[in-house]
Amino acid sequence: MKDPDIGAVARASGLPASTLRYYEEIGLIASSGRKGLRRLFDPGIYERLALISLGRNAGFSLQEIGAMFAQDGNPRIDRAQLHDKADELDRLIRRLRAMRDGLRHAAECPAPSHLECPTFQRLLKAASADMKRGRSKGK
């Protein structure tokens, strides 16, 4: 199979060429050469981009993902790191479920005001605690 150029990789992966250039700049991917001004990539680029996407979707930083590849480019994934990330996701899922359940309760609560609802008050306290720990979106 012919080495795809950056445009073909961008179209096939759904990633902008600028993202591919950035990934190359930080060492996540490497071009195999050039055809004129266009970067060429080994056909294995798609599998590597899929691994990067999987890592991003799991919440790993690009730096963490980069460390998951050996010098030869093959994946070298620390299983303990995967367990730690899975534990982190479990904690996030529990917080999100509690938030979802609280919001549903608040939407159907018979209290005259949300501020009079004990469940809504617990949601406010939890949000305040998260904010103090630096988990708010405005961080």
Side-chain angles (χ1 to χ4, degrees):
M1 175 183 219
K2 179 179 128 183
D3 288 355
D5 69 17
I6 193 166
V9 174
R11 283 187 300 281
S13 69
L15 294 171
S18 59
T19 298
L20 297 172
R21 286 190 294 273
Y22 178 68
Y23 283 1
E24 184 177 20
E25 180 183 319
I26 64 173
L28 285 177
I29 62 174
S31 60
S32 60
R34 290 190 179 267
K35 180 179 181 182
L37 296 176
R38 299 179 75 77
R39 289 169 171 84
L40 298 175
F41 293 93
D42 183 275
I45 189 68
Y46 301 112
E47 182 177 84
R48 187 159 179 116
L49 289 172
L51 286 168
I52 293 167
S53 178
L54 180 63
R56 295 291 286 161
N57 288 334
F60 288 104
S61 70
L62 291 177
Q63 183 177 9
E64 290 170 319
I65 294 167
M68 292 180 183
F69 291 102
Q71 287 291 85
D72 63 6
N74 290 317
R76 181 194 63 211
I77 302 169
D78 179 354
R79 291 175 191 270
Q81 188 180 17
L82 295 178
H83 280 292
D84 291 345
K85 184 57 75 172
D87 292 344
E88 182 183 318
L89 290 172
D90 282 339
R91 289 187 296 275
L92 175 61
I93 289 166
R94 282 193 297 274
R95 279 197 318 270
L96 290 172
R97 280 186 179 145
M99 180 63 68
R100 177 204 59 203
D101 294 346
L103 290 172
R104 284 199 174 129
H105 171 81
E108 298 169 9
C109 181
S113 161
H114 286 80
L115 295 177
E116 296 175 49
C117 172
T119 300
F120 191 75
Q121 285 296 319
R122 283 193 301 275
L123 273 176
L124 290 178
K125 286 180 186 173
S128 178
D130 279 353
M131 196 169 54
K132 289 176 186 173
R133 285 190 296 267
R135 291 189 181 141
S136 68
K137 286 232 181 224
K139 179 182 169 187

